[in-house]
Amino acid sequence: MKLSIAAAIGLLALTLTEAVKVSPLPIPTHIKWAKSGPIKVDNNFRITGTHHEILNKAYARTAKLIKKERWVPQIWEHPAPDFPEYPTFEKRGDYEEASYRHHNKKATLKTVKVSVRNLNADLQLGVDESYTLDITASGQGSIKAKTIWGALNGLQTLNQIITGDGRKGLQVEQPVEIRDSPKFSHRGIMFDTARNFIPIKALKRQIDGMSYTKLNMTKDAFSPREIYTQRDIINLVQYGRERGVRVYPEIDMPGHSSSGWLQVDAKAVTCADSWWDNDGWTHHTAVQPNPGQLDIAYEPTYKLIKNVYREVAKLFKDDFFHVGFDELHRFCYNYSTPSMDWFRANPQATYGDFAQLYLDKALPIFRDRRDRRLVMWEDVVTSADFAANKVPKDIVMQSWNKGLENIKTLTQQGYDVIVSSADFLYLDCGYGGWVSNDPRYNVMEPPVLPKAIQDAFDANPSDYQPTSFNFLGFGGSWCAPYKTWQRIYGYDFTKGLTKKEAKHVIGAESPLWAEQVDEHVLDYKVWPRAAALAENLWSGNRNAKGFKRITELTTRIYDFRERLLVREITAAPLTSKYCLKNPHNCDLHRNQTAWGK
Amino acid sequence: MKLSIAAAIGLLALTLTEAVKVSPLPIPTHIKWAKSGPIKVDNNFRITGTHHEILNKAYARTAKLIKKERWVPQIWEHPAPDFPEYPTFEKRGDYEEASYRHHNKKATLKTVKVSVRNLNADLQLGVDESYTLDITASGQGSIKAKTIWGALNGLQTLNQIITGDGRKGLQVEQPVEIRDSPKFSHRGIMFDTARNFIPIKALKRQIDGMSYTKLNMTKDAFSPREIYTQRDIINLVQYGRERGVRVYPEIDMPGHSSSGWLQVDAKAVTCADSWWDNDGWTHHTAVQPNPGQLDIAYEPTYKLIKNVYREVAKLFKDDFFHVGFDELHRFCYNYSTPSMDWFRANPQATYGDFAQLYLDKALPIFRDRRDRRLVMWEDVVTSADFAANKVPKDIVMQSWNKGLENIKTLTQQGYDVIVSSADFLYLDCGYGGWVSNDPRYNVMEPPVLPKAIQDAFDANPSDYQPTSFNFLGFGGSWCAPYKTWQRIYGYDFTKGLTKKEAKHVIGAESPLWAEQVDEHVLDYKVWPRAAALAENLWSGNRNAKGFKRITELTTRIYDFRERLLVREITAAPLTSKYCLKNPHNCDLHRNQTAWGK
C-alpha cells in the first residue's frame, strides 16, 4: 500500500495509490479502498451477529481490543526517495500530522454485523477460512463468512483496519471492500516444549499472536516427563480453538525417546545411558544429547507406546497427530539385545526393514479413529539409514532438510507435505551452539586459506565464500545463519513443482527448537518473524505485478512489531528507530524491484 | 571447582577436591576452602565496618539480597562420566540432596566486618580493586580492602558464597580464605543508546549485573537528540558509582554525526541528506545509514563541538571520555564546500592530513582538565583513508577490527588499548541484517560450488569451508557468527604481544550496538555472556595447570544465569534443561582438556 501524502516525490510512478496508512498483516488477497474519506467509529461501537459461543466471545474480545488499543500506525509505506548525486534538502512532509484530520461527519460506524452460514464446520485442515469485510461510505459494516473460523479471520482484519484517529477517537480511513481467503490451509508454528519447558501462559501468548496474524496451527513437541497437566492441555486446546488456532501434539518416536519413557519401562528404551559425543565414534549413539531410542524389536515397547499415545490423544481435538521419526541413529540399537537378536534372525534385513517393522507395529496403534491424520518427519522416507519401504501415502510428511529438493522428492511420491525447511524457516538458528566443551570456538586468528583454494576462488567468481567456524561461518549453530523475516517471507517453497505436486504442499510450519529457548526469550524468537511467515502463507509474497513485495512488507512488519509490544508480546526490534521512521532510507538497494519476480 | 559427592567416578583423578558446590563468578584469583564443615549464617546476619555513604548502602544492600535470595546452587561441576562402550546403568548420586545437611553447630556467622584503609581513592582507571575475604571455622567473617571499590568487590563475593542451606537457613559451605584482585583494570560493556533508545531503568539493570560480576565500566554511546535529561545522567553515574561501576560517555565525532547536530547547526553537518546505499556508488556516503559527518573544514563546527562536549562532560565524573572517530567516509566530504575548498587550497594534502586538521582543532577542546583521558576508535590510527599522522600517544585506542593483529599494531606504537575485537566480543552479531530491501536473502537453493574450487577444497583440507550468504554463511550480519559465551571467554587478547606491549592492554569492553536492540531485548543480549567476559578479565580463562577452564565455567555460568533471572535480569538460556542438570553429558568432546592450554 502506497501513501499519497508525499505528493512531491514520484507519486505518478505508483499504480496503487490508496490514501490510507493502515495495511493489515497479512495483507488480504483482495482489498479495495474507496476515496470518499474517513468514517468515524462510534465510541460505543459494537460487533454483533450470528450467535455462537466462540463468536460471541470473539465479538467482545475484538471490540474491547479495538477500543483499548486505538492504534495509530507508527510507520507506513512511502515511495522511495530519489536522491540526486548532490541533493538539496528535501522535506518529505511531516507524517506525525497526516491525513487523520477530517472526518466525514455524515458517516459513523456503529455496528459491524457478522453473519456465518455454517456453524457446524469443525476447525480442521481445509475448513473454509474465507471471509468478506465491507465498510461502506454510509457507515455500514459487515463481515460474512461460511464458517466460524472465517469469521474469526474477518474480525482480526477489522481489528487492524479500525485505527485511532490521533485524537482519542476511532476511525476507518476509507470505505473498504475485502474478499479474503488463505493460500495455504496449514499455517503453523512448532513449539518444542521438551528441551526446555514452556509454561501454558507463554504458549497462550503465542496463540494470541498467531490469531492476530491468521496463523491457524500450533504444534507442541513434548516429552511425557514434562509437567503439563491434562487440564492444562484441554485448556490450551480450547484457548486455541476460540481463536481459530488448531493445537496438536508431537510425540517423537522411536528416536529422541528417553527421559519420560524410561520412567515407565526402562527396558523399552535402548542406549539411554550411552555417550553421544563426537570424539569417540565407538560410543557415539545420538545426533544430539540426550541419547535414547525406543527399542523396536522389544515387544513391550508397543504396549508402552499404546498407553502413552492413548492418554495424549484423548486430550486433543485435532485430526492431526505427529508421531515423530526424526534422526533415528543406528548404533543406538547395538545396545539392544532384542534388536541385535532380530538382525541375527534376519540376516538379509536392512535398517529400512527394521524401520518397517516399527511402522507395521506402531501405525495401527496410531490409527485410533477414522479421521486421524498422522504426521511424521520426512526422515522415514528420506533418511539414508532408516528409509522405510512402505510408508503409507496418507501420512503427512514434515520436511526439514534440503529445502526444495526434499519437497520435490516427497510430493513426487504423492505425500502431502508440511514445509519446515531448516534453511528458511527454523526460528532457533544463529545463536551459536548449546553443546558444552566445544573447542571449535577456541581459535584466535582466522586461518589462512591454502593458496590453491584462494587461487581457485580468485579464478572462479562464485556466490560461495570461504569462511571458517568463527569468522563469518556458522559458529556452532548447525543451521546458521539466523533466519531473518526477509528470508522467511521470500521462501518460494513450491518452486519447481508440477501443479499436481504443488497441491500436495498443504502449508508450512516454522519450528522453534528449544535448546536455547524458555519462556523468558520465547516471544522475541518467534515475533515478529512469524508474521512474515503468516503473510507468505496467507496471501503470498508477491504483489499484483508479480514482484516480491518485500519493500511493502517492511513498513507493515515494523509497525506490526510495535503493535505486538502494546499487546504484551515482546517482539524483537528489527532495525534502528531512524530506519523505522524513514522508510527506504535504510534500503540496501534503491531499486525497489531488486528482489525480482 | 570439583565436587566430591560423585565418589564412585574418578575422584582420584582430581587435583582440586574442595567439597563445596558454590563457585563464585568471576572465580577469585586465590580461593582456599577448608574442610571442617559448613558454618551456619545467622538469620540476623549483618555486615558492618568502615563507615562511608557508599559502603553503608552496600552493606545494607548486600545483606538484604543474601537474605532474600537464599540461593541454592542449581548445578555445579561434576567430574565427566567415563562411559564404557557398552555401559551399564550408573547412578551418580542424587545431587538434590547433597552436602547441605549437617551444620557445624559450634560456628555461626553473625557479622562480617569490612575494613577499608583509604576512603579517598577515587573510582578511576587503575584504582586498587583488591580485597581479602575470610570466613573462619569459628564463624568470624571479614573483608579487607585498600579502597571502597575493593570492598564492593569483596561484598559481591560474600554475596555469592553465602547460600541457602535448602531448609530456609543460610550457610557458608566451608571456611574460606580469598585473596583477590583483577587481572585487567578496564572491564566493561558498551551500550549504544543512539540507534535505539534505552531507558535509564534498563541501563540500571545492566549496572546491577555488572556489579555482580565485578565489571567496572559502562560506556554509553549516544546522540545529542536522545532524551536523557541531565538529571537522568547524573543519577545514572551515581548509581554506577555506588556499585563500583564507572560510567562514561562516547560522543561519536566527526563520523556518524547527523540528527542531533543538525538541529543545532545544520551547516556543521555534511552529506546528511545523501544516500548511503550500495547500488549507486556515486551516491554512497556512509558505511551504514544514516549518513552525516561533522564538517572538518567548516570553522563553526568546533564551536558546536565545544558546546556539546562541555555540556556533556560536566555530567560525568570519569576521567575517561570517548570522542569517537570510527568509520569516517571520504565521499561524504564531497558534499561540503568548505572541505572541498580546503583540499583545493592544499593540493598535496591526504585524507590523513585532513583528519589531522580535525585533531589539531578538536583535541584541545576535549582536554578540558588535567586528568582527562581521551578514548578514540582505532580507525584514527588504522583506517586506510583517514589515519592521522600525529595522534598523541596518551589517547586510549579502542580496537574493534582484525582481532590480535590490530592490538599488536596499536600497542607496538605505544598506545594503551581497550580490546573490543568484533570477531570475539561484539554482542550484537549473528541476528541477520537490519537494512531493508536486501535481495541477498532471496535465494532458494544453495549455489553449486564451481568444480575448480570444489577440487581445490578436496585436495586441501582446511579450516575454511565454502559457504554462501544464506547457507551456513553470515546471513546479513556483517560480524556473524553470534559470539557465544565460550568464544568470549576463550579470547586470549594479549597473545603474541611482548611484555611491554601487553602492559598497554588496559582491558576490554563488549560493545552492544543497538540496531536490533531496545529495552525489550537488552538483558538477554548481554547476559549471561557478559559474565564470561567478566571472568576472563578478572581472573583469566585458565586454571592452575594452565588449561583453559571452559568446562569449569560451564556449570558456573549455567547456575549464574538462573540466579540472574531471580535478580530480575532476563538472561538468555544457554542450553536445554537436560544439559543443565547433567554436567558433561552434553560435551562435544569427552576429553576435558580439549580446549588446550
Side-chain angles (χ1 to χ4, degrees):
Chain A
M1 298 305 97
K2 306 288 182 177
L3 179 71
S4 64
I5 63 158
I9 34 174
L11 247 195
L12 294 178
L14 301 174
T15 51
L16 295 166
T17 56
E18 296 92 343
V20 291
K21 290 169 190 153
V22 75
S23 183
L25 192 168
I27 197 163
T29 315
H30 301 287
I31 183 165
K32 194 177 163 194
W33 295 98
K35 297 184 180 175
S36 54
I39 297 143
K40 183 178 166 63
V41 176
D42 195 90
N43 269 334
N44 294 316
F45 158 75
R46 293 192 321 136
I47 304 170
T48 61
T50 308
H51 286 297
H52 181 279
E53 198 190 343
I54 289 178
L55 289 172
N56 293 349
K57 282 186 183 177
Y59 301 157
R61 196 169 59 232
T62 305
K64 192 176 163 191
L65 185 54
I66 288 170
K67 289 173 190 175
K68 180 185 163 200
E69 198 171 34
R70 294 174 191 274
W71 187 251
V72 176
Q74 300 296 292
I75 187 64
W76 52 88
E77 178 62 359
H78 294 62
D82 185 19
F83 282 110
E85 288 195 21
Y86 291 94
T88 53
F89 192 76
E90 179 181 18
K91 196 159 166 57
R92 278 205 230 157
D94 184 347
Y95 56 81
E96 295 303 329
E97 39 163 326
S99 66
Y100 282 153
R101 294 284 146 152
H102 306 292
H103 286 297
N104 177 350
K105 295 284 179 196
K106 286 172 235 166
T108 299
L109 179 68
K110 291 185 178 168
T111 308
V112 170
K113 283 190 185 143
V114 180
S115 60
V116 175
R117 203 186 297 169
N118 171 6
L119 291 174
N120 296 320
D122 194 18
L123 180 65
Q124 297 288 357
L125 182 79
V127 70
D128 191 306
E129 295 181 274
S130 69
Y131 68 94
T132 66
L133 167 57
D134 292 273
I135 309 290
T136 68
S138 60
Q140 305 299 310
S142 64
I143 290 173
K144 287 176 187 152
K146 296 203 179 74
T147 70
I148 292 168
W149 325 109
L152 292 178
N153 289 322
L155 288 168
Q156 291 298 343
T157 305
L158 178 72
N159 193 333
Q160 289 196 32
I161 64 167
I162 298 183
T163 55
D165 65 0
R167 297 168 308 168
K168 300 189 179 175
L170 290 168
Q171 65 166 13
V172 175
E173 286 179 78
Q174 294 285 354
V176 67
E177 286 176 27
I178 295 171
R179 308 282 171 266
D180 203 10
S181 61
K183 196 170 168 189
F184 293 95
S185 299
H186 190 103
R187 307 180 305 278
I189 305 177
M190 193 209 87
F191 297 99
D192 167 14
T193 58
R195 305 268 186 329
N196 278 300
F197 186 67
I198 297 173
I200 292 290
K201 193 181 164 190
L203 290 175
K204 285 186 175 172
R205 224 163 46 229
Q206 307 319 306
I207 288 177
D208 288 344
M210 294 175 74
S211 70
Y212 303 151
T213 51
K214 303 186 176 70
L215 289 167
N216 66 354
M217 206 285 311
T218 178
K219 190 179 72 202
D220 301 312
F222 72 105
S223 80
R225 88 189 134 129
E226 292 297 357
I227 50 163
Y228 299 121
T229 64
Q230 297 201 353
R231 197 167 156 178
D232 283 342
I233 299 283
I234 291 166
N235 184 273
L236 187 72
V237 169
Q238 182 61 17
Y239 191 89
R241 197 173 165 75
E242 288 179 1
R243 287 156 183 80
V245 177
R246 298 160 49 203
V247 181
Y248 77 93
E250 173 188 348
I251 305 180
D252 202 357
M253 300 168 279
H256 292 304
S257 301
S258 179
S259 313
W261 303 96
L262 275 177
Q263 281 158 43
V264 193
D265 181 357
K267 285 186 189 162
V269 180
T270 183
C271 94
D273 200 37
S274 66
W275 184 246
W276 84 283
D277 83 341
N278 283 326
D279 69 351
W281 290 103
T282 52
H283 296 70
H284 184 59
T285 55
V287 178
Q288 65 164 247
N290 47 335
Q293 297 178 181
L294 292 177
D295 196 340
I296 288 174
Y298 176 71
E299 200 55 36
T301 294
Y302 300 94
K303 193 182 163 202
L304 175 61
I305 287 175
K306 189 174 191 170
N307 289 339
V308 170
Y309 180 79
R310 287 200 173 167
E311 186 174 340
V312 174
K314 74 176 185 210
L315 305 174
F316 292 87
K317 300 197 172 187
D318 210 274
D319 293 342
F320 274 47
F321 198 110
H322 197 308
V323 291
F325 211 100
D326 63 324
E327 299 191 320
L328 209 55
H329 198 91
R330 61 193 291 177
F331 293 113
C332 179
Y333 288 107
N334 288 9
Y335 289 70
S336 153
T337 306
S339 290
M340 287 301 100
D341 285 349
W342 186 88
F343 275 106
R344 269 186 286 270
N346 299 276
Q348 306 301 320
T350 64
Y351 277 94
D353 298 326
F354 190 56
Q356 194 64 49
L357 173 69
Y358 169 78
L359 294 181
D360 291 344
K361 285 171 179 283
L363 288 182
I365 298 171
F366 304 144
R367 297 194 193 279
D368 58 337
R369 54 185 171 92
R370 208 170 56 94
D371 295 324
R372 175 63 73 209
R373 197 79 200 275
L374 298 173
V375 187
M376 297 183 91
W377 292 107
E378 64 179 353
D379 307 38
V380 71
V381 170
T382 60
S383 96
D385 270 1
F386 281 96
N389 307 323
K390 292 171 280 180
V391 184
K393 300 289 181 192
D394 67 335
I395 293 180
V396 179
M397 292 295 151
Q398 187 159 4
S399 177
W400 62 281
N401 226 329
K402 295 190 185 172
L404 300 180
E405 185 183 330
N406 278 10
I407 298 167
K408 181 86 181 174
T409 301
L410 294 164
T411 55
Q412 223 166 17
Q413 293 183 33
Y415 291 105
D416 279 356
V417 167
I418 297 168
V419 174
S420 293
S421 310
D423 286 328
F424 296 83
L425 300 183
Y426 271 34
L427 298 172
D428 51 306
C429 306
Y431 290 91
W434 52 270
V435 295
S436 40
N437 197 27
D438 181 349
R440 290 175 298 175
Y441 299 108
N442 194 26
V443 171
M444 297 303 116
E445 287 160 289
V448 177
L449 206 60
K451 189 173 177 305
I453 297 179
Q454 189 61 61
D455 289 349
F457 268 101
D458 293 345
N460 293 273
S462 158
D463 279 341
Y464 270 94
Q465 291 300 322
T467 63
S468 69
F469 187 89
N470 292 295
F471 296 90
L472 298 183
F474 70 109
S477 175
W478 72 271
C479 55
Y482 178 92
K483 312 308 169 203
T484 63
W485 63 269
Q486 299 96 321
R487 180 77 174 148
I488 293 167
Y489 190 62
Y491 190 23
D492 295 322
F493 48 83
T494 58
K495 193 183 168 195
L497 302 185
T498 64
K499 265 191 186 171
K500 191 179 165 195
E501 289 159 4
K503 270 191 187 163
H504 280 298
V505 176
I506 63 173
E509 266 179 41
S510 262
L512 180 64
W513 296 104
E515 286 89 351
Q516 294 164 317
V517 174
D518 65 11
E519 60 179 311
H520 302 288
V521 298
L522 180 62
D523 290 15
Y524 82 80
K525 290 207 176 180
V526 176
W527 303 101
R529 288 187 290 165
L533 175 72
E535 181 160 305
N536 192 2
L537 293 172
W538 182 273
S539 45
N541 57 20
R542 283 171 166 76
N543 66 19
K545 290 187 160 179
F547 284 101
K548 283 204 172 173
R549 57 185 169 200
I550 192 74
T551 59
E552 293 145 80
L553 179 59
T554 304
T555 46
R556 189 153 62 231
I557 199 168
Y558 286 176
D559 185 62
F560 191 71
R561 184 262 169 172
E562 302 303 310
R563 194 162 191 168
L564 285 171
L565 284 185
V566 172
R567 293 179 176 189
E568 291 177 7
I569 294 173
T570 314
L574 296 174
T575 195
S576 71
K577 205 81 171 182
Y578 170 83
C579 299
L580 184 139
K581 288 278 185 191
N582 295 279
H584 300 297
N585 276 21
C586 300
D587 283 2
L588 185 70
H589 289 268
R590 273 193 298 166
N591 171 12
Q592 294 297 300
T593 55
W595 275 67
K597 291 216 175 189
Chain B
M1 297 305 98
K2 306 288 181 176
L3 179 72
S4 65
I5 62 158
I9 34 174
L11 245 194
L12 294 178
L14 301 174
T15 52
L16 295 167
T17 58
E18 296 93 343
V20 290
K21 289 168 190 153
V22 74
S23 183
L25 193 167
I27 197 164
T29 315
H30 301 286
I31 183 165
K32 194 177 161 194
W33 295 97
K35 297 181 181 174
S36 54
I39 297 142
K40 183 178 164 64
V41 176
D42 195 89
N43 270 333
N44 295 315
F45 158 75
R46 291 192 321 136
I47 304 170
T48 63
T50 307
H51 286 296
H52 181 279
E53 198 190 343
I54 288 177
L55 289 171
N56 294 350
K57 282 187 182 175
Y59 302 157
R61 195 169 60 230
T62 306
K64 191 176 163 191
L65 186 53
I66 288 171
K67 289 174 192 175
K68 179 186 164 200
E69 198 171 33
R70 293 174 193 276
W71 186 252
V72 176
Q74 299 296 292
I75 188 61
W76 52 89
E77 177 62 358
H78 294 62
D82 185 18
F83 282 110
E85 288 194 20
Y86 292 94
T88 53
F89 191 75
E90 181 181 17
K91 194 158 166 60
R92 277 205 229 159
D94 185 346
Y95 54 80
E96 296 302 329
E97 40 163 326
S99 66
Y100 283 154
R101 293 284 147 150
H102 307 290
H103 286 299
N104 177 349
K105 295 285 178 192
K106 287 172 234 162
T108 299
L109 179 67
K110 291 184 178 168
T111 309
V112 170
K113 284 191 183 140
V114 180
S115 59
V116 175
R117 204 186 296 169
N118 171 7
L119 292 175
N120 296 321
D122 195 19
L123 180 64
Q124 296 289 357
L125 182 80
V127 70
D128 191 306
E129 294 180 274
S130 69
Y131 69 95
T132 66
L133 167 58
D134 293 273
I135 310 290
T136 69
S138 60
Q140 306 299 311
S142 64
I143 291 171
K144 289 176 186 152
K146 296 204 177 76
T147 69
I148 292 167
W149 325 108
L152 292 179
N153 289 322
L155 289 168
Q156 290 299 342
T157 305
L158 179 72
N159 193 334
Q160 289 196 31
I161 64 166
I162 299 181
T163 54
D165 65 0
R167 296 168 308 167
K168 298 188 180 175
L170 290 167
Q171 65 165 11
V172 177
E173 285 179 77
Q174 294 285 355
V176 67
E177 286 177 25
I178 295 171
R179 309 282 170 268
D180 203 9
S181 61
K183 197 170 167 189
F184 293 95
S185 300
H186 190 103
R187 307 181 305 280
I189 306 177
M190 193 210 87
F191 297 99
D192 167 13
T193 57
R195 305 272 187 324
N196 278 301
F197 186 66
I198 297 173
I200 292 289
K201 193 181 164 189
L203 289 174
K204 284 186 174 173
R205 223 162 50 228
Q206 309 317 307
I207 288 177
D208 288 343
M210 295 175 75
S211 70
Y212 303 150
T213 51
K214 303 186 175 69
L215 289 167
N216 67 355
M217 205 286 309
T218 179
K219 191 178 72 200
D220 301 312
F222 72 106
S223 80
R225 88 189 134 131
E226 291 298 356
I227 51 165
Y228 299 122
T229 64
Q230 297 203 354
R231 198 168 156 178
D232 284 341
I233 299 282
I234 290 165
N235 184 274
L236 187 74
V237 169
Q238 182 62 17
Y239 191 88
R241 196 173 166 74
E242 288 179 1
R243 286 155 183 80
V245 176
R246 299 160 50 204
V247 180
Y248 77 95
E250 173 187 348
I251 305 179
D252 202 357
M253 300 168 279
H256 291 304
S257 302
S258 179
S259 315
W261 304 97
L262 275 177
Q263 282 158 42
V264 193
D265 181 357
K267 285 186 190 161
V269 180
T270 182
C271 94
D273 200 38
S274 66
W275 183 248
W276 84 282
D277 83 342
N278 283 325
D279 69 351
W281 290 104
T282 51
H283 295 73
H284 184 59
T285 55
V287 177
Q288 64 166 249
N290 45 335
Q293 298 179 177
L294 292 177
D295 196 340
I296 288 175
Y298 175 70
E299 199 55 34
T301 294
Y302 300 95
K303 193 183 164 201
L304 174 61
I305 288 175
K306 191 174 190 171
N307 288 341
V308 170
Y309 179 80
R310 287 201 173 169
E311 187 175 338
V312 174
K314 74 175 186 213
L315 305 175
F316 291 87
K317 299 197 171 187
D318 210 275
D319 293 342
F320 274 46
F321 198 109
H322 198 308
V323 291
F325 210 99
D326 63 323
E327 300 191 319
L328 209 56
H329 198 91
R330 62 194 291 178
F331 294 112
C332 179
Y333 288 107
N334 288 8
Y335 290 70
S336 154
T337 306
S339 291
M340 288 301 102
D341 285 349
W342 185 88
F343 275 106
R344 270 187 284 270
N346 299 275
Q348 306 300 320
T350 64
Y351 276 95
D353 298 327
F354 190 56
Q356 194 65 51
L357 172 69
Y358 169 76
L359 293 181
D360 291 344
K361 285 172 180 283
L363 287 181
I365 298 171
F366 304 144
R367 297 193 193 280
D368 58 338
R369 54 186 171 90
R370 209 169 57 94
D371 295 325
R372 176 62 73 209
R373 199 77 202 275
L374 298 173
V375 187
M376 297 181 92
W377 293 107
E378 63 179 354
D379 308 36
V380 71
V381 171
T382 60
S383 94
D385 270 0
F386 280 98
N389 306 324
K390 292 171 281 179
V391 183
K393 300 289 179 188
D394 67 335
I395 292 180
V396 180
M397 291 295 151
Q398 187 159 5
S399 176
W400 62 281
N401 226 330
K402 295 190 185 173
L404 299 179
E405 185 183 330
N406 277 9
I407 297 167
K408 181 86 181 175
T409 301
L410 294 164
T411 56
Q412 222 166 20
Q413 293 183 34
Y415 291 105
D416 280 355
V417 167
I418 297 167
V419 174
S420 294
S421 310
D423 285 329
F424 296 83
L425 300 182
Y426 272 33
L427 297 173
D428 50 306
C429 307
Y431 290 91
W434 52 270
V435 295
S436 41
N437 197 26
D438 180 350
R440 291 174 299 174
Y441 299 108
N442 193 26
V443 172
M444 296 303 117
E445 287 161 289
V448 177
L449 206 61
K451 190 174 177 304
I453 297 178
Q454 189 62 60
D455 289 349
F457 268 100
D458 293 345
N460 293 273
S462 159
D463 279 340
Y464 271 95
Q465 291 299 323
T467 64
S468 69
F469 186 88
N470 291 297
F471 295 89
L472 298 182
F474 71 110
S477 174
W478 72 271
C479 56
Y482 178 89
K483 312 309 170 202
T484 64
W485 63 269
Q486 298 96 320
R487 181 77 175 149
I488 292 167
Y489 190 62
Y491 189 23
D492 295 323
F493 49 81
T494 58
K495 194 183 167 194
L497 302 185
T498 65
K499 266 191 186 172
K500 193 179 163 195
E501 288 160 5
K503 271 192 186 163
H504 280 297
V505 176
I506 63 172
E509 264 179 43
S510 263
L512 180 65
W513 298 104
E515 286 90 350
Q516 293 163 319
V517 173
D518 64 12
E519 59 179 313
H520 302 288
V521 298
L522 180 62
D523 290 16
Y524 82 79
K525 290 207 176 180
V526 176
W527 304 102
R529 289 188 289 166
L533 176 72
E535 181 160 304
N536 192 2
L537 293 172
W538 181 273
S539 45
N541 57 18
R542 282 170 168 77
N543 67 19
K545 289 185 160 180
F547 284 100
K548 283 203 173 173
R549 57 185 168 202
I550 192 75
T551 59
E552 294 145 80
L553 179 59
T554 304
T555 46
R556 190 154 59 231
I557 199 167
Y558 286 177
D559 185 62
F560 191 71
R561 184 262 169 171
E562 301 303 310
R563 194 164 191 165
L564 285 171
L565 284 185
V566 171
R567 292 179 177 190
E568 293 177 3
I569 294 174
T570 315
L574 297 174
T575 195
S576 71
K577 205 81 169 182
Y578 170 83
C579 299
L580 184 140
K581 288 277 185 192
N582 295 281
H584 300 297
N585 275 22
C586 300
D587 284 2
L588 185 70
H589 289 268
R590 274 193 300 164
N591 171 12
Q592 293 298 299
T593 55
W595 275 68
K597 289 215 174 188

